[in-house]
Short mmCIF file of all heavy atoms in Angstrom, two decimals:
data_model
loop_
_atom_site.label_atom_id
_atom_site.label_comp_id
_atom_site.label_asym_id
_atom_site.label_seq_id
_atom_site.Cartn_x
_atom_site.Cartn_y
_atom_site.Cartn_z
N LYS Y 343 -8.44 1.98 9.06
CA LYS Y 343 -8.05 2.10 10.48
C LYS Y 343 -6.71 2.86 10.67
O LYS Y 343 -6.48 3.45 11.70
CB LYS Y 343 -8.01 0.75 11.16
CG LYS Y 343 -6.96 -0.20 10.60
CD LYS Y 343 -6.92 -1.53 11.39
CE LYS Y 343 -8.14 -2.40 11.02
NZ LYS Y 343 -8.01 -3.72 11.62
N GLU Y 344 -5.85 2.80 9.68
CA GLU Y 344 -4.53 3.44 9.84
C GLU Y 344 -4.62 4.96 9.78
O GLU Y 344 -3.67 5.66 10.09
CB GLU Y 344 -3.56 2.98 8.76
CG GLU Y 344 -3.36 1.51 8.60
CD GLU Y 344 -4.47 0.83 7.84
OE1 GLU Y 344 -5.39 1.55 7.39
OE2 GLU Y 344 -4.43 -0.39 7.69
N GLN Y 345 -5.70 5.48 9.28
CA GLN Y 345 -5.75 6.91 9.05
C GLN Y 345 -6.88 7.61 9.82
O GLN Y 345 -7.12 8.80 9.59
CB GLN Y 345 -5.88 7.19 7.56
CG GLN Y 345 -7.20 6.78 6.97
CD GLN Y 345 -7.17 6.72 5.43
OE1 GLN Y 345 -6.23 6.26 4.82
NE2 GLN Y 345 -8.24 7.18 4.80
N ALA Y 346 -7.52 6.94 10.75
CA ALA Y 346 -8.57 7.59 11.54
C ALA Y 346 -7.98 8.17 12.80
O ALA Y 346 -7.08 7.59 13.44
CB ALA Y 346 -9.66 6.59 11.86
N LEU Y 347 -8.49 9.32 13.18
CA LEU Y 347 -8.08 9.92 14.44
C LEU Y 347 -9.05 9.53 15.55
O LEU Y 347 -10.25 9.37 15.31
CB LEU Y 347 -8.12 11.48 14.34
CG LEU Y 347 -7.15 12.13 13.34
CD1 LEU Y 347 -7.35 13.68 13.43
CD2 LEU Y 347 -5.71 11.75 13.60
N ALA Y 348 -8.51 9.38 16.71
CA ALA Y 348 -9.37 9.17 17.91
C ALA Y 348 -9.96 10.53 18.28
O ALA Y 348 -9.41 11.59 17.92
CB ALA Y 348 -8.56 8.59 19.07
N PRO Y 349 -11.09 10.56 19.02
CA PRO Y 349 -11.75 11.80 19.35
C PRO Y 349 -10.83 12.85 20.00
O PRO Y 349 -10.89 14.02 19.62
CB PRO Y 349 -12.89 11.38 20.29
CG PRO Y 349 -13.25 10.00 19.79
CD PRO Y 349 -11.92 9.38 19.39
N ALA Y 350 -9.96 12.43 20.88
CA ALA Y 350 -9.10 13.42 21.56
C ALA Y 350 -8.12 14.06 20.56
O ALA Y 350 -7.83 15.25 20.63
CB ALA Y 350 -8.35 12.77 22.70
N GLN Y 351 -7.61 13.21 19.65
CA GLN Y 351 -6.67 13.76 18.64
C GLN Y 351 -7.41 14.77 17.75
O GLN Y 351 -6.88 15.79 17.38
CB GLN Y 351 -6.15 12.64 17.75
CG GLN Y 351 -5.23 11.66 18.45
CD GLN Y 351 -4.89 10.47 17.55
OE1 GLN Y 351 -5.79 9.76 17.10
NE2 GLN Y 351 -3.61 10.23 17.31
N PHE Y 352 -8.65 14.42 17.41
CA PHE Y 352 -9.42 15.30 16.54
C PHE Y 352 -9.72 16.62 17.27
O PHE Y 352 -9.62 17.69 16.68
CB PHE Y 352 -10.73 14.63 16.14
CG PHE Y 352 -11.63 15.52 15.35
CD1 PHE Y 352 -11.25 15.98 14.09
CD2 PHE Y 352 -12.86 15.91 15.86
CE1 PHE Y 352 -12.07 16.83 13.34
CE2 PHE Y 352 -13.70 16.76 15.12
CZ PHE Y 352 -13.31 17.20 13.85
N ALA Y 353 -10.02 16.55 18.52
CA ALA Y 353 -10.33 17.78 19.28
C ALA Y 353 -9.09 18.70 19.29
O ALA Y 353 -9.23 19.93 19.11
CB ALA Y 353 -10.78 17.44 20.70
N SER Y 354 -7.94 18.13 19.46
CA SER Y 354 -6.71 18.91 19.44
C SER Y 354 -6.49 19.52 18.08
O SER Y 354 -6.08 20.70 17.95
CB SER Y 354 -5.57 18.00 19.87
OG SER Y 354 -4.35 18.63 19.60
N LEU Y 355 -6.74 18.75 17.02
CA LEU Y 355 -6.56 19.23 15.65
C LEU Y 355 -7.50 20.43 15.40
O LEU Y 355 -7.07 21.43 14.86
CB LEU Y 355 -6.84 18.09 14.66
CG LEU Y 355 -6.77 18.45 13.16
CD1 LEU Y 355 -6.19 17.28 12.37
CD2 LEU Y 355 -8.14 18.80 12.60
N VAL Y 356 -8.77 20.28 15.80
CA VAL Y 356 -9.73 21.37 15.53
C VAL Y 356 -9.25 22.67 16.18
O VAL Y 356 -9.28 23.74 15.58
CB VAL Y 356 -11.14 21.03 16.05
CG1 VAL Y 356 -12.07 22.23 15.98
CG2 VAL Y 356 -11.71 19.85 15.27
N LYS Y 357 -8.75 22.54 17.40
CA LYS Y 357 -8.32 23.75 18.11
C LYS Y 357 -7.19 24.43 17.38
O LYS Y 357 -7.19 25.67 17.19
CB LYS Y 357 -7.87 23.31 19.51
CG LYS Y 357 -8.06 24.37 20.58
CD LYS Y 357 -7.81 23.79 21.95
CE LYS Y 357 -7.31 24.87 22.86
NZ LYS Y 357 -6.78 24.32 24.13
N LYS Y 358 -6.20 23.64 16.97
CA LYS Y 358 -5.05 24.23 16.27
C LYS Y 358 -5.44 24.79 14.91
O LYS Y 358 -4.96 25.85 14.47
CB LYS Y 358 -3.94 23.20 16.13
CG LYS Y 358 -3.30 22.88 17.49
CD LYS Y 358 -2.18 21.85 17.39
CE LYS Y 358 -1.58 21.68 18.79
NZ LYS Y 358 -0.51 20.65 18.81
N VAL Y 359 -6.28 24.06 14.23
CA VAL Y 359 -6.70 24.47 12.87
C VAL Y 359 -7.46 25.80 12.96
O VAL Y 359 -7.19 26.73 12.23
CB VAL Y 359 -7.54 23.40 12.20
CG1 VAL Y 359 -8.35 23.95 11.02
CG2 VAL Y 359 -6.64 22.26 11.71
N ARG Y 360 -8.39 25.87 13.90
CA ARG Y 360 -9.19 27.11 14.05
C ARG Y 360 -8.28 28.30 14.40
O ARG Y 360 -8.50 29.41 13.94
CB ARG Y 360 -10.23 26.96 15.14
CG ARG Y 360 -11.30 25.89 14.91
CD ARG Y 360 -12.45 26.39 14.04
NE ARG Y 360 -13.51 25.38 14.01
CZ ARG Y 360 -14.24 25.17 12.89
NH1 ARG Y 360 -13.99 25.80 11.76
NH2 ARG Y 360 -15.19 24.25 12.92
N SER Y 361 -7.33 28.00 15.23
CA SER Y 361 -6.42 29.07 15.63
C SER Y 361 -5.61 29.57 14.42
O SER Y 361 -5.46 30.77 14.22
CB SER Y 361 -5.51 28.53 16.74
OG SER Y 361 -4.49 29.41 17.04
N LEU Y 362 -5.16 28.63 13.61
CA LEU Y 362 -4.38 29.02 12.42
C LEU Y 362 -5.27 29.73 11.40
O LEU Y 362 -4.83 30.70 10.75
CB LEU Y 362 -3.71 27.77 11.79
CG LEU Y 362 -2.88 28.04 10.54
CD1 LEU Y 362 -1.75 29.05 10.81
CD2 LEU Y 362 -2.29 26.73 9.99
N VAL Y 363 -6.49 29.27 11.27
CA VAL Y 363 -7.44 29.95 10.31
C VAL Y 363 -7.55 31.45 10.68
O VAL Y 363 -7.46 32.30 9.83
CB VAL Y 363 -8.82 29.26 10.34
CG1 VAL Y 363 -9.85 30.13 9.64
CG2 VAL Y 363 -8.76 27.87 9.70
N GLN Y 364 -7.72 31.65 11.95
CA GLN Y 364 -7.86 33.04 12.42
C GLN Y 364 -6.61 33.85 12.16
O GLN Y 364 -6.69 34.98 11.66
CB GLN Y 364 -8.16 33.02 13.92
CG GLN Y 364 -8.76 34.30 14.42
CD GLN Y 364 -9.19 34.18 15.89
OE1 GLN Y 364 -8.96 33.13 16.54
NE2 GLN Y 364 -9.84 35.21 16.39
N PHE Y 365 -5.46 33.22 12.41
CA PHE Y 365 -4.22 33.94 12.15
C PHE Y 365 -4.05 34.24 10.68
O PHE Y 365 -3.62 35.33 10.30
CB PHE Y 365 -3.02 33.07 12.63
CG PHE Y 365 -1.70 33.67 12.28
CD1 PHE Y 365 -1.15 34.71 13.05
CD2 PHE Y 365 -1.00 33.24 11.15
CE1 PHE Y 365 0.05 35.30 12.69
CE2 PHE Y 365 0.21 33.83 10.79
CZ PHE Y 365 0.74 34.85 11.58
N MET Y 366 -4.37 33.28 9.81
CA MET Y 366 -4.22 33.46 8.38
C MET Y 366 -5.10 34.58 7.85
O MET Y 366 -4.71 35.30 6.92
CB MET Y 366 -4.52 32.16 7.61
CG MET Y 366 -3.53 31.03 7.83
SD MET Y 366 -1.79 31.43 7.41
CE MET Y 366 -1.94 31.70 5.64
N GLU Y 367 -6.28 34.73 8.47
CA GLU Y 367 -7.15 35.81 8.00
C GLU Y 367 -6.48 37.18 8.22
O GLU Y 367 -6.60 38.09 7.38
CB GLU Y 367 -8.49 35.79 8.74
CG GLU Y 367 -9.47 34.87 8.02
CD GLU Y 367 -10.62 34.45 8.94
OE1 GLU Y 367 -10.88 35.11 9.95
OE2 GLU Y 367 -11.25 33.44 8.61
N GLY Y 368 -5.74 37.29 9.31
CA GLY Y 368 -5.04 38.53 9.59
C GLY Y 368 -3.83 38.73 8.64
O GLY Y 368 -3.39 39.86 8.39
N LEU Y 369 -3.29 37.62 8.14
CA LEU Y 369 -2.06 37.66 7.38
C LEU Y 369 -2.25 38.10 5.92
O LEU Y 369 -1.37 38.71 5.30
CB LEU Y 369 -1.41 36.29 7.38
CG LEU Y 369 0.08 36.23 6.93
CD1 LEU Y 369 0.94 36.99 7.95
CD2 LEU Y 369 0.52 34.79 6.83
N ARG Y 370 -3.41 37.81 5.39
CA ARG Y 370 -3.63 38.07 3.95
C ARG Y 370 -3.77 39.56 3.60
O ARG Y 370 -4.15 40.34 4.40
CB ARG Y 370 -4.82 37.26 3.44
CG ARG Y 370 -4.53 35.77 3.47
CD ARG Y 370 -5.62 34.93 2.85
NE ARG Y 370 -5.68 33.60 3.47
CZ ARG Y 370 -4.83 32.61 3.19
NH1 ARG Y 370 -3.89 32.81 2.28
NH2 ARG Y 370 -4.93 31.44 3.79
#
Side-chain angles (χ1 to χ4, degrees):
Chain Y
K343 64 177 75 172
E344 304 80 1
Q345 69 194 40
L347 297 182
Q351 291 172 303
F352 175 66
S354 166
L355 178 144
V356 171
K357 210 171 150 192
K358 290 180 177 177
V359 162
R360 298 276 189 217
S361 172
L362 181 57
V363 166
Q364 198 173 5
F365 174 80
M366 292 302 296
E367 273 162 20
L369 195 66
R370 292 186 209 282

